[in-house]
Amino acid sequence: MPRHQFANAVWQEENAMEAADFRQLLTDNPKLQQWIDQSKSLTVNILHADTSQNGEEVLWGSLIYKQSRHARDAQDVFHFYVSPELLVTSTLDFEEDLDMPRHLMIQQMEVAESPIEVMMILLWGMVGSVLHKIDGFEERLHHLLWNIKEHNNRKTLESIEEVRHEILLWKHLIMGFREISMAIEETFGGDIHEGREYKRTAKRIDRCVMLVESYEDEIRNMVDMENVVANYRGNEIVKTLTVLTTLFTPVMAWGALWGMNFRIMPELDLRYGYVMSIAVILISTFMLYLYFKQKGWTGDILRSIDNKGKPKQRQD
């Protein structure tokens, strides 16, 4: 497989973590061999370091750097082993990802000061790919923000849950990059954090973290807004039903009274009993309405009903 020899670094790419690839390049370390076995069915990031010998520190692990939001198993994994003398990684498909231009990254690696810097250049490209995809997420988030205002319904709530799940996936991915960045400084120490490529990649990771955390706050505010609107609508529905039910109480009460089948009921013999019964029902209902209006229990309901069919006035 390709072996890139730069001025101050060596980068070896391998197809798979099998006996003929990674195992023959790495030291006879039980932890390394265990890592190779674990990485065959990876579900979470793996990261290990060996700092037992000064000047011969090594860092190795597996990073999930792509994750589909539709399928759990649709993910891309990057395996790496980095030491002050050598960088060994699994093969990256540069042609598939336009955000990782191979020729430009190779040019950067030509002047890298160490294999560690080459590793940071690879991470820089991966994080750049994540940032580009987050831009698409930002556009969907913007549309959803206005849908909450204009079309607040069950479908909007489902969309909020989808973007909330997606932002958690982004957060999980970025956490892996950030952990590796911190582990590199922890493992190799010295002035590694002063290197140009390390600074550049660390800044890009921080920018990614800032965006994800900001979008997470926006989604949290969307959920709060959705809850407020849903609670308000629920309260308005209950209030409207309560008021309407109460206003029809006189109709039900008088109807129940005069619907009795007693033999002697004086109202049955009245000449204008039917008209009087209607008048009593209307007057009692109107008095009940005046009482509600005086208490201010019907103002919002009546205003919303009156304005429902009126066109909105343009404000210049």
Side-chain angles (χ1 to χ4, degrees):
M1 290 305 297
R3 181 181 179 89
H4 306 278
Q5 183 75 48
F6 305 115
N8 301 308
V10 177
W11 173 30
Q12 177 80 28
E13 291 184 273
E14 295 296 337
N15 270 333
M17 298 181 67
E18 302 297 338
D21 297 322
F22 268 75
R23 292 185 191 274
Q24 67 180 3
L25 292 169
L26 306 183
T27 59
D28 188 14
N29 186 323
K31 291 184 178 179
L32 284 169
Q33 305 306 319
Q34 184 182 12
W35 159 59
I36 294 175
D37 295 332
Q38 289 176 343
S39 63
K40 294 178 181 178
S41 56
L42 193 68
T43 56
V44 295
N45 296 327
I46 299 175
L47 189 62
H48 295 289
D50 185 357
T51 58
S52 57
Q53 299 184 32
N54 190 23
E56 297 183 9
E57 297 88 353
V58 293
L59 180 71
W60 68 91
S62 301
L63 170 69
I64 300 174
Y65 68 98
K66 285 184 183 179
Q67 174 69 64
S68 171
R69 60 191 177 98
H70 302 294
R72 178 185 299 180
D73 298 328
Q75 61 185 23
D76 290 340
V77 181
F78 174 66
H79 307 288
F80 63 92
Y81 168 93
V82 58
S83 70
E85 295 80 25
L86 176 66
L87 171 64
V88 183
T89 70
S90 56
T91 303
L92 291 172
D93 191 350
F94 291 94
E95 301 300 328
E96 180 184 349
D97 201 329
L98 298 178
D99 297 299
M100 297 175 61
R102 185 183 182 93
H103 65 287
L104 295 179
M105 296 179 69
I106 294 293
Q107 286 181 5
Q108 286 182 261
M109 295 174 184
E110 292 287 353
V111 295
E113 298 179 359
S114 67
I116 302 168
E117 290 268 282
V118 174
M119 174 70 176
M120 297 308 296
I121 293 173
L122 292 174
L123 292 180
W124 180 84
M126 294 178 194
V127 178
S129 178
V130 173
L131 279 171
H132 181 74
K133 292 177 176 61
I134 288 179
D135 290 339
F137 171 80
E138 182 181 8
E139 186 176 353
R140 295 195 301 275
L141 194 64
H142 176 76
H143 290 313
L144 180 59
L145 183 62
W146 284 100
N147 282 339
I148 291 178
K149 176 179 174 62
E150 299 169 358
H151 308 288
N152 189 275
N153 49 34
R154 180 177 179 180
K155 186 176 180 180
T156 304
L157 182 60
E158 291 175 354
S159 299
I160 293 176
E161 291 304 316
E162 287 180 5
V163 297
R164 180 187 248 182
H165 174 260
E166 189 173 352
I167 200 66
L168 289 176
L169 290 178
W170 290 125
K171 193 172 185 179
H172 179 73
L173 286 178
I174 298 304
M175 247 180 359
F177 290 107
R178 196 172 196 181
E179 183 183 11
I180 292 177
S181 175
M182 297 173 68
I184 286 176
E185 184 177 1
E186 174 190 348
T187 303
F188 300 103
D191 298 328
I192 191 66
H193 63 281
E194 296 296 334
R196 181 181 62 180
E197 300 303 338
Y198 183 91
K199 285 184 177 180
R200 181 181 295 168
T201 303
K203 285 292 183 182
R204 176 168 278 193
I205 293 174
D206 290 341
R207 179 157 62 96
C208 221
V209 170
M210 181 273 296
L211 286 174
V212 170
E213 290 180 348
S214 298
Y215 295 150
E216 189 177 26
D217 288 339
E218 284 189 28
I219 295 172
R220 193 178 298 113
N221 291 333
M222 285 183 186
V223 174
D224 293 341
M225 185 186 303
E226 175 68 22
N227 289 335
V228 169
V229 173
N231 290 335
Y232 175 77
R233 287 183 173 178
N235 292 337
E236 285 297 300
I237 291 172
V238 172
K239 183 178 177 181
T240 301
L241 293 176
T242 303
V243 170
L244 292 177
T245 302
T246 308
L247 285 177
F248 279 96
T249 298
V251 178
M252 293 183 290
W254 291 113
L257 178 63
W258 288 321
M260 296 178 181
N261 294 321
F262 290 110
R263 182 173 298 178
I264 301 175
M265 292 185 68
E267 294 89 341
L268 296 178
D269 297 328
L270 295 177
R271 182 176 182 181
Y272 299 103
Y274 178 71
V275 176
M276 289 176 59
S277 63
I278 293 178
V280 169
I281 291 174
L282 291 177
I283 291 171
S284 56
T285 301
F286 183 69
M287 290 178 64
L288 189 59
Y289 164 74
L290 290 179
Y291 177 76
F292 281 2
K293 187 175 182 180
Q294 183 181 6
K295 291 290 186 179
W297 296 346
T298 62
D300 292 340
I301 297 175
L302 294 179
R303 278 196 292 270
S304 62
I305 294 176
D306 292 341
N307 295 332
K308 192 171 183 179
K310 294 181 179 180
K312 296 182 179 179
Q313 295 181 354
R314 179 178 176 181
Q315 296 180 353
D316 296 328

